[in-house]
Amino acid sequence: MAYVNTTRVAHISVADRIMGLVDGIRKMQARRAIYRQTLRELNALSTRELADLGIHRSMITRLAQEAAYGK
């Protein structure tokens, strides 16, 4: 009995790698923009407004990271 295996190797061109890199950079820029916007908006709120939302000022950075990066 004979067995035949075929193996395909995906060849990724240089252009595909560059496009992947550019796409990754764009995604990181978009996430960074969300992070900065969230920081700006939360820092613009008064302490009382933050308290109404159940947020302390020390939580702002962590909340912005979670909003942008899901961490």
Side-chain angles (χ1 to χ4, degrees):
M1 186 184 304
Y3 293 98
V4 177
N5 285 334
T6 57
T7 304
R8 297 183 69 168
V9 177
H11 294 286
I12 300 174
S13 70
V14 174
D16 290 336
R17 289 182 185 189
I18 291 172
M19 291 305 294
L21 178 64
V22 170
D23 186 45
I25 290 171
R26 286 185 181 152
K27 286 180 183 177
M28 288 305 297
Q29 287 175 334
R31 287 181 178 182
R32 182 71 179 165
I34 291 170
Y35 173 77
R36 287 192 319 263
Q37 180 181 0
T38 305
L39 275 180
R40 259 194 320 270
E41 290 177 3
L42 290 176
N43 280 322
L45 296 175
S46 69
T47 303
R48 183 177 176 123
E49 290 170 328
L50 288 172
D52 288 343
L53 296 171
I55 300 171
H56 188 269
R57 287 222 176 261
S58 64
M59 299 168 61
I60 291 176
T61 303
R62 183 176 51 85
L63 291 172
Q65 286 176 342
E66 288 176 4
Y69 305 109
K71 295 180 182 178

